[in-house]
Structure formats: C-alpha cells, structure tokens
Amino acid sequence: RMAGKVVPGKQPRAEVKKPATTDAAPPVEDPYKNANPGDTATTKGILDDAVVQSFEDAGFGEDHNLSNLKLALGTTACALALVAQFWPNPLKPMAFPESRPLLLVCCVLYFLLSFLLQLITTFYEKDTILYTVPPAPGSAFFAALQGHRVKVSTRLQRFSIDYTLKLEVVDAAGKVVATQERVLKLTDYFEEKGAFHEDFFMDDVDELLALLGTKKAN
C-alpha cells in the first residue's frame, strides 16, 4: 500500500493525538491520624500524645525532674558496667581473678540501680504519662492553679474501648488537693478503619481540665 493513498468510499483515519502528559497531582495528606483498632499500645500512644498536646496548649509545661533522675540512674548503671569491663585501661583491663572485688562491687551497684528504676516505674509512675509544672502566667489556669502541678494518668486495657483519663492537682507539699477522672469511649473518636478525630478528643480533654481548674478554685 502506497503511503498516503486514500481508499475510495472511506474517510481517512483522523490522526490520533496523544494526550499531553501532565505532572501527577501530589498526594493529598491524610488529615487524620490512623491506628489499627486491634493495636492497643499504638492507640493509647496516639491518645496520650493528644492529652499532652492539650496541656501544652493550655499553658502547662512538662516537669522533667523525674525523667532526668531516671536517665541519671540508667547512665550510672551503664558506667558501672563499663568500669567492670575495662578498668583500669581499656586496652589492658584488669585480669581475673584480681578483678573479682571490683566486679562484685560493680555488679551489686548495677543491680541496685536497676531495681530502683523498676521501683520508680512500678510503684511511683504507674500509669502516669505527664507531670506538669505550674501553669505559665499567660495561661487561663494561672489564677486557679498557681503554684500547683498536675499529674496526668491514663489507662487502656487490652481490647477495651474505655480510655480512663485521671487528672490530679498536687500542691507544693506533694498533697493531692483536687481530682477529676473520666472514662472516654474510643468509638467516639475513632472510625471503623482507625481514623482518629483528634479535635473531638482534645475538646473533651480541655473540658475535663476546665472542670479541674474550677473545682480547685472553689
């Protein structure tokens, strides 16, 4: 067939134009955080982060004293392990059995520090996720909670939909002077596939915090 020949009775085929390529639109960022409904640890972590954010927005800073103490204990324990392994010279450590007294002292101190860390976590911290410092002068809670700290504890049992949020106001002497506790249902904030409506949840946290300030003021 000759190029460009037109067959009688037939219209020449129109040239098919290839559509112009355009850059693909950037993916739309999901505005919601997502969690696997069966993953209790991840779900609780998302909720705990939102609680902490609510307190930061309300003008409460985090008290790092306990965290610093735990870091100091852990660092000391690691240092003792290094001493036991490499003393007095990393290139030529003390040989056994001459190092037996040093190893004994380091091991005893290491296990004491580890035991102390476990006691703090189990019997003092428990379910606590946040210790605050007194509210900042610009905070709406400055007048009601001036000179007081808030201890925030949460609890979510495995496969449960009940998220327990407990707020305790602690005075300078360490005495609890006001408490608010509420059980929040996960079904009020999470969709069936795990999308988390953080704004609804934080509104309820703010409401509970407002009640705590009112109760302390009264």
Side-chain angles (χ1 to χ4, degrees):
R1 181 182 297 178
M2 296 177 59
K5 182 178 180 180
V6 178
V7 180
K10 291 187 178 182
Q11 297 294 331
R13 179 180 296 179
E15 182 180 357
V16 179
K17 294 183 178 181
K18 188 176 182 180
T21 59
T22 58
D23 295 336
V28 179
E29 184 178 355
D30 189 352
Y32 300 110
K33 296 179 181 179
N34 291 275
N36 183 346
D39 189 347
T40 304
T42 301
T43 301
K44 185 177 185 298
I46 291 176
L47 295 172
D48 290 348
D49 289 343
V51 171
V52 173
Q53 185 62 51
S54 292
F55 272 84
E56 291 180 354
D57 294 344
F60 290 87
E62 183 176 355
D63 185 351
H64 298 283
N65 288 333
L66 183 61
S67 298
N68 292 339
L69 174 61
K70 292 168 61 180
L71 285 173
L73 293 175
T75 301
T76 304
C78 293
L80 288 170
L82 293 175
V83 169
Q85 180 68 30
F86 298 111
W87 182 269
N89 187 338
L91 299 178
K92 191 177 180 181
M94 187 183 300
F96 190 83
E98 289 80 6
S99 62
R100 182 178 297 171
L102 176 65
L103 293 175
L104 178 62
V105 172
C106 290
C107 288
V108 170
L109 292 177
Y110 179 88
F111 285 112
L112 285 177
L113 292 175
S114 299
F115 182 66
L116 181 57
L117 280 172
Q118 189 63 40
L119 288 178
I120 292 174
T121 303
T122 305
F123 298 104
Y124 185 77
E125 279 190 315
K126 296 182 180 179
D127 299 321
T128 304
I129 63 168
L130 175 67
Y131 294 94
T132 76
V133 296
S139 171
F141 299 92
F142 179 73
L145 299 176
Q146 184 178 5
H148 293 76
R149 305 169 186 270
V150 180
K151 177 183 176 183
V152 184
S153 304
T154 63
R155 185 171 61 256
L156 178 63
Q157 300 293 337
R158 190 178 184 187
F159 303 130
S160 174
I161 65 170
D162 295 333
Y163 178 83
T164 303
L165 175 61
K166 184 178 181 180
L167 311 180
E168 298 174 288
V169 177
V170 182
D171 62 15
K175 180 182 178 182
V176 177
V177 296
T179 303
Q180 283 288 343
E181 183 172 342
R182 180 175 295 181
V183 177
L184 306 173
K185 299 290 185 181
L186 299 188
T187 50
D188 293 337
Y189 315 108
F190 285 92
E191 296 182 7
E192 183 179 356
K193 294 185 178 180
F196 175 47
H197 292 267
E198 186 176 28
D199 49 347
F200 297 158
F201 177 75
M202 293 179 71
D203 286 344
D204 287 345
V205 174
D206 292 341
E207 180 182 340
L208 186 62
L209 180 56
L211 292 175
L212 185 67
T214 303
K215 185 174 181 180
K216 172 63 185 62
N218 294 336

